[in-house]
Amino acid sequence: MIIDGFVHQLPDTDPTETEEWLQSLDAVVDARGKTRARFLMSKLLERARELQVGTPATVSTPYVNTIPPEEEPWFPGDEELERRIRAYIRWNAAVMVIKANKQADGIGGHLSTFASSAALYDVGLNHFFRGKDDGLPGDAVYIQGHAAPGIYARAFLEGRLTEADLDQFRQEVGGGLSSYPHPRLMPQFWEYPTVSMGLGPINSIYHARFLRYLHNRRIDDSSGTRVWCFLGDGEIDEPETMGAITLPARDELDNLIWVVNCNLQRLDGPVRGNGKIIQELEAVFRGAGWNVIKVIWGSKWDQLLAQDRDGVLLNKMNTTVDGEFQRYAVESGAFAREHFFGPDPRLRKMVEHLSDEEIRNLPRGGHDYRKLYAAYHAATEQRGAPTVILAKTIKGWTLGPDVEGRNATHQIKKMTVDQLRVLRERLRLQDIIDEGALGDDKEPPYIRFVEGSTEQQYMLDRRKALDGPLPERVVRTRKPLAMPEDKPFDEVLAGSGRQEVSTTMAFTRLLRNLHRDPHVGQRVVPIIPDEARTFGMDALFKEFKIYAAHGQAYTPVDAQLLLSYTESKDGQVLEEGITEAGSMASFIAAATSYAHRGIPMLPFFTFYSMFGFQRVGDLIWSAADSRARGFMLGATAGRTTLLGEGLQHQDGHSLVLASTVPTVEAWDPAFAYEMATIVRHGIHEMLVDERDVVYYLTLYNENYVMPPLPEGAEEGILRGLYRWADAPEGPTHRAAILFSGTAQGAARAAQAELAERWDVGAELWSATSYKRLREQALSTERWNRLHPTEAPRTPLVTELLAGEGAPGAVVAVTDFMKAVPDQVARWVPQPFVPLGTDGFGRSDTRERLREFFEVDMRQVVVATLFALAQQGEVKPETVAEAIAHYGIDTDRTDPRAFDL
Ligand SMILES: Cc1ncc(C[n+]2csc(CCOP(=O)(O)OP(=O)(O)O)c2C)c(N)n1
Ligand SMILES: [Mg+2]
């Protein structure tokens, strides 16, 4: 069997010596058995590592704690006091969920996640996580969403929340505590939304990397901050969780620590019933270059392991699958004695001295705070690699036999009085909670420490020593950012002269100019997922340089070119490689830096528009929850503008998806000056008005002459619609054509054609944001509905299009789906005909695509005549005449059809 093929390819410089070593091993296996041989091999590997021989790392170790008892550091806390504090927290966490469900049946909440992870948080909060009271940002802690009740329960004991607050858990409409970590709903409390599985983990990775970026670029000293991320073992199955784990190892992010709560269960049942999740994760993370610390067994197992001379206990640990371990969590001590220890007489003997109850309570490592303390301590001492702590726990721990380890435990949110009694005993709270306080007709009480009690003082002192409470969201600008000068914008606003350019090219120019701006230059963060060349943004590589944690260790193949691929430790571009999810996580880190660091940044995340909203929509939603401020640019936008490529590439709907995110301002500029006006306004909103908004702009790759900013057009651009050209004088009929993005070409051509051939004078309007128009109209409509006796207000879009001397019909043309202009259809009183690119995209020339999707000049002309015919302004025959004139095939299949 060839395992290490390489040794066969290298010369053996001393075969006799090699043979001696091999024979020694054979002899050990023969005489002492494989267990002993394994032990010796492990010892050899350990020594080799100490001697820095450079042997390849093994990816898995036996199913025991990584840190041996003799290497556990002294535990600086008061164990008994901490246990008692935790009992109070556990009790209150359970009571708040139970009460919430009594008051508002079906409101939900979770008992078991926190019950399994209480010690994981407490050890961190008592000994490691730094707050912000010293004026610095402290640590960033991503808390498992379903553990929120425990975090509130602690904040209550610390005096940060009241009983009334706890009673309002999940009743968010009245301002109650949010179900999960939502900065949007509790902006002074939560910092990082986590509850959509997998997003917390990936965000934490890019957060840690962003801190290094700030540090290496000398924008901020981030060496005092660690990023801690708590996640579930079930959450591990999300691609977002595991998809980026090689990055922190590559970048040596020793400021990142993950704590995986391995309770072996997820929502429906076991995470790996037939396998071992901890072993699987150890191998994956070690393979990826992480420092892995397994915390599997509590201290009481140490004595048993120390007696395990034949390796039978170890063997049993190694070979028992998780499904079986979960069973031991729900069964009695006698059952474990029989089935775990029982079959082997040597094992059975090992636990002879323990009662059934003692066997049942042999705790798992994740409930043992000495073990956890040792793990956290080692993680914080680790240099040059991120750490993952795999802590084995029991889901629902302490909540009693009806809840602990049960498959249904995740969703249990009610407890009977008897179950509460068991909990009270398990937590040793009989002296605090009166028997009389529990009863079917009673609300279970919250409990507090006596004012000035040792417990209260201890708890508060610990947080004081660690610089204040956590979690806490504070927006405290440490390094302000002023608006850029006019100069970066002027060039773009002036138009392109006779040169034909695209809005993408203009944006690249603007980005370069902003980079040179004395105010914001340093804080611009261009983020690109391996697509810069597609967008013509590779020109920025040389000037901005690409961020690389270790600089550039090679001479790039294009070194001799003016625009070479330049990496640098203080590079500015985050060239993320092919990961829109990772780029989005980077974006969130930069876009929330104003809050978590007090340092506003200006992220510009430019991506293939097709691979944005539909690919990473949930991360965008999480950016909104995080109160992100930044720019997202969907380049290669439009279903007909991106010629070639095809169905999987051509985006005609990102604007529809963008319209669903409350904080996203969605823009579809046609001209460079519109784009620049919008970007400048966005920067103003983010930096000066301090609005938590994300600006989404489409960028196209079609070249045409960019006109200069028309006098006074800013206001119209920013409200979402403005008249771009008057109707030509002369024709009898009047219409309006609204265009967005590259549809300006068809609209302008149609205007000329209509005047020349069909006696229609069409005015042209640029619709820069239907979303904005719709939001405004909805507000007006709502105001009217709620103020029925007052003079009704007119939505802006109605006022603009249907005022005095209004055109007889309105046609809207877009390179996106008709649903985009349809957003305002309800408020356009004239006949309104949207033309758009519904259906699957396909590869062809622009011209043929526009013909195919019926958004070319001819279709705009026909649609305009049709709309006028609706109004009785022209005859239906005239429309038919136009159709015939342009040779439009009226029997062709609708381009929306997919079931051909
Ligand atoms: C993306 C996503 N899918 C599904 C859910 C629903 N959900 C909430 S918790 C949960 C199980 C979590 O299990 P695990 O990660 O092991 O956490 P534990 O509670 O066991 O600590 C699921 C499926 C979700 N919140 N997010
Ligand atoms: Mg779990």
Side-chain angles (χ1 to χ4, degrees), residues 110 112-114 116-117 121 144-147 180 194-199 231-238 240 260-269 271 393 395-396 409-411 618:
H110 299 82
S112 297
T113 302
F114 179 71
S116 66
S117 56
Y121 292 105
Q144 233 185 310
H146 299 78
Y180 300 116
T194 46
V195 80
S196 177
M197 306 266 115
L199 304 191
L231 57 150
D233 49 357
E235 188 171 7
I236 283 290
D237 285 336
E238 289 287 4
E240 286 87 349
V260 187
N261 177 16
C262 297
N263 53 27
L264 316 186
Q265 288 178 247
R266 40 180 163 74
L267 193 151
D268 285 341
V271 175
T393 62
K395 195 151 177 170
T409 188
H410 187 82
Q411 291 181 310
D618 201 20

Side-chain angles (χ1 to χ4, degrees), residues 830-850:
Q830 302 97 315
F832 180 75
V833 181
L835 296 177
T837 55
D838 297 41
F840 284 123
R842 56 197 66 206
S843 167
D844 214 312
T845 63
R846 276 185 195 131
E847 200 180 1
R848 284 182 54 97
L849 286 173
R850 287 171 184 169

Side-chain angles (χ1 to χ4, degrees), residues 297-347:
W297 309 106
S299 307
K300 289 185 185 146
W301 287 89
D302 292 338
Q303 298 137 21
L304 301 181
L305 268 172
Q307 298 167 37
D308 188 28
R309 304 188 66 81
D310 303 325
V312 279
L313 176 58
L314 186 63
N315 189 47
K316 188 72 187 173
M317 288 170 164
N318 280 336
T319 52
T320 303
V321 294
D322 284 357
E324 207 51 45
F325 273 121
Q326 193 191 343
R327 185 114 188 269
Y328 295 125
V330 302
E331 296 286 355
S332 66
F335 181 90
R337 186 190 301 280
E338 208 51 45
H339 294 88
F340 186 80
F341 298 102
D344 190 304
R346 291 166 296 181
L347 259 184

